[in-house]
Amino acid sequence: MYVSIWCHNLNLSSRSLAIALVVCVTLVYFSYSFNACLFESISRSLQQSNLRNLLTLQRRNVSSEPVKDAGTAPEATSSTAIMPNSTGSAASIGSGIASVDGAPKYQMLRQQGLRPSRHLPDTLIIGVKKSGTRALLEFIRLHPDVRAAGSEVHFFDRHYQRGLRWYRHHMPYTIEGQITMEKTPSYFVTKEVPQRVYHMNPATKLLIVVRDPVTRAISDYTQAASKKADMKRFEQLAFVNGSYSVVDTNWGPVKIGVYARYLEHWILYFPLSQLLFISGERLIMDPAYEIGRVQDFLGLKRVVTEKHFYFNATKGFPCLFKSEARSTPHCLGKTKGRNHPHIDANAIERLREFYRPFNNKFYQLTGINFAWP
């Protein structure tokens, strides 16, 4: 009898234990499922919040950086890079920089983590007008490590009061290792410019293209005459009272050719080691040679060579097989290689006599004999 009661109680305890175990397992399962769902929901919310914050930040970055080369940027007193906005996220601007620069390669650069930014120029082409400065700029910017402002900015002679912030924002975007360059030929003859450039960066490298000052004066006159139909003849403007005995040194095309006078202002602030003089005549006849010298001077690998040029016999001027802007053969423009008017031989000879002592002084200052007639 006692055995029967004990067995009955044992069966009842086993069922209770099994039921309790099932209930516990069920509670654990529902608790785990609930907590997992809650954690996933919280995680999703945090991710969405971070994404919204990131998109908001990028929109602010884009709106803070204009997509044209005009406006202002942070002040700088040297060529050190300053990022376009306070977050330093110029690379994340995406299409903003690509649209400014117009170069698809910057999309690849951003993907590689490189951050294009604007710098003050490392190098200036400061002159001389009508000696080949545009040709020099177009030829050297074939180099992938050279980026240049497309037009003459005239900061140091006309817009200096606007400040370095304004100037820097007119420079192209560059990445680490690239040189920023600007060309304004009137810098060479403007008295205040050497000191102003020195204050920006005393280590600035300066490129100066020079040519026979008589030929340069005629080229200068030819350009002006092409814009003014009733312009007086060259001989009337180059000499006082129509006589070849007295040269009019106040006339711009004649005055600019006294190179030594202007160079003396520059070497007060910059050593000759920071100046490179390029022969305008040789730049036309052998562009690869002169561009090779420029690349060496700037510490660049010689990438631009004779394979980039061909000579146009009609224009009498070197042209390009391709350039940064165009992938097809082309010349620099209709104004390059323009035919000069006939000038009286006696007037030319008188001008050569006038320039000869100034040329010799220029040879002494530079240590280069350009062998002008």
Side-chain angles (χ1 to χ4, degrees):
M1 176 179 176
Y2 289 108
V3 173
S4 177
I5 293 174
W6 180 80
C7 292
H8 176 74
N9 290 335
L10 183 61
N11 291 335
L12 182 61
S13 297
S14 297
R15 284 197 300 271
S16 298
L17 183 60
I19 293 172
L21 182 60
V22 170
V23 170
C24 289
V25 170
T26 303
L27 289 174
V28 170
Y29 173 80
F30 280 111
S31 177
Y32 173 83
S33 299
F34 175 81
N35 289 331
C37 292
L38 180 60
F39 178 82
E40 183 179 357
S41 177
I42 293 173
S43 178
R44 188 183 299 113
S45 298
L46 289 174
Q47 290 176 355
Q48 291 174 348
S49 177
N50 290 336
L51 180 60
R52 282 195 298 269
N53 291 337
L54 179 60
L55 293 174
T56 300
L57 179 60
Q58 289 179 340
R59 283 194 295 269
R60 289 176 180 173
N61 290 340
V62 172
S63 63
S64 68
E65 178 67 12
V67 295
K68 295 183 179 180
D69 278 358
T72 60
E75 181 74 28
T77 57
S78 70
S79 59
T80 303
I82 300 178
M83 303 308 296
N85 54 68
S86 60
T87 63
S89 57
S92 67
I93 292 176
S95 61
I97 291 178
S99 63
V100 172
D101 195 85
K105 64 183 179 183
Y106 279 94
Q107 296 177 358
M108 296 179 59
L109 295 176
R110 288 192 301 277
Q111 292 173 0
Q112 297 171 9
L114 299 175
R115 296 184 172 185
S117 59
R118 288 188 175 104
H119 297 239
L120 291 170
D122 312 282
T123 304
L124 294 175
I125 300 176
I126 60 174
V128 176
K129 180 184 178 184
K130 303 309 298 177
S131 294
T133 57
R134 171 54 61 177
L136 173 62
L137 179 68
E138 294 303 320
F139 295 166
I140 191 58
R141 72 194 304 186
L142 291 171
H143 199 291
D145 289 336
V146 173
R147 303 284 295 143
S151 58
E152 297 173 8
V153 181
H154 284 281
F155 171 68
F156 292 104
D157 58 346
R158 298 181 187 174
H159 304 294
Y160 192 65
Q161 73 282 358
R162 294 178 180 265
L164 291 173
R165 296 172 62 186
W166 179 90
Y167 186 41
R168 190 177 69 86
H169 206 80
H170 280 73
M171 295 302 106
Y173 280 98
T174 58
I175 60 172
E176 184 178 356
Q178 288 184 319
I179 290 173
T180 301
M181 185 179 294
E182 191 249 321
K183 172 191 85 78
T184 299
S186 56
Y187 288 165
F188 183 68
V189 299
T190 305
K191 187 176 181 179
E192 299 79 11
V193 170
Q195 185 179 37
R196 291 172 177 178
V197 174
Y198 180 84
H199 285 164
M200 177 192 71
N201 183 4
T204 302
K205 292 189 175 182
L206 306 169
L207 303 177
I208 306 172
V209 192
V210 291
R211 67 191 292 197
D212 173 11
V214 176
T215 307
R216 196 222 65 81
I218 296 172
S219 180
D220 200 345
Y221 166 81
T222 302
Q223 182 183 51
S226 69
K227 302 175 182 178
K228 187 177 180 181
D230 59 345
M231 196 166 184
K232 294 181 179 180
R233 296 180 67 248
F234 177 87
E235 295 88 340
Q236 294 176 288
L237 297 170
F239 300 94
V240 177
N241 298 326
S243 171
Y244 294 166
S245 60
V246 181
V247 176
D248 189 350
T249 57
N250 291 320
W251 187 46
V254 169
K255 188 176 181 180
I256 291 174
V258 186
Y259 304 140
R261 178 184 302 168
Y262 304 108
L263 179 59
E264 287 176 332
H265 297 153
W266 285 94
I267 59 179
L268 289 176
Y269 295 93
F270 296 93
L272 284 175
S273 59
Q274 287 177 226
L275 281 67
L276 181 68
F277 299 91
I278 297 101
S279 167
E281 289 85 4
R282 190 154 191 171
L283 184 63
I284 294 174
M285 299 307 298
D286 190 359
Y289 174 83
E290 288 298 319
I291 295 302
R293 293 180 60 238
V294 174
Q295 291 173 100
D296 292 344
F297 176 70
L298 298 179
L300 299 170
K301 181 181 179 181
R302 286 202 176 195
V303 173
V304 184
T305 62
E306 61 274 358
K307 67 182 180 182
H308 290 88
F309 305 98
Y310 69 95
F311 193 79
N312 186 305
T314 302
K315 294 177 70 67
F317 209 84
C319 300
L320 303 173
F321 281 111
K322 64 178 182 177
S323 66
E324 185 180 49
R326 297 172 59 179
S327 59
T328 56
H330 63 283
C331 296
L332 298 184
K334 62 181 181 180
T335 63
K336 306 305 176 185
R338 184 191 284 118
N339 292 328
H340 290 176
H342 173 75
I343 307 296
D344 190 318
N346 292 325
I348 292 177
E349 182 56 33
R350 177 66 187 93
L351 284 174
R352 296 207 187 285
E353 292 176 1
F354 167 77
Y355 280 119
R356 196 162 288 124
F358 297 110
N359 290 345
N360 289 333
K361 180 65 177 297
F362 186 67
Y363 299 164
Q364 293 174 4
L365 291 174
T366 61
I368 304 171
N369 186 341
F370 290 91
W372 294 320

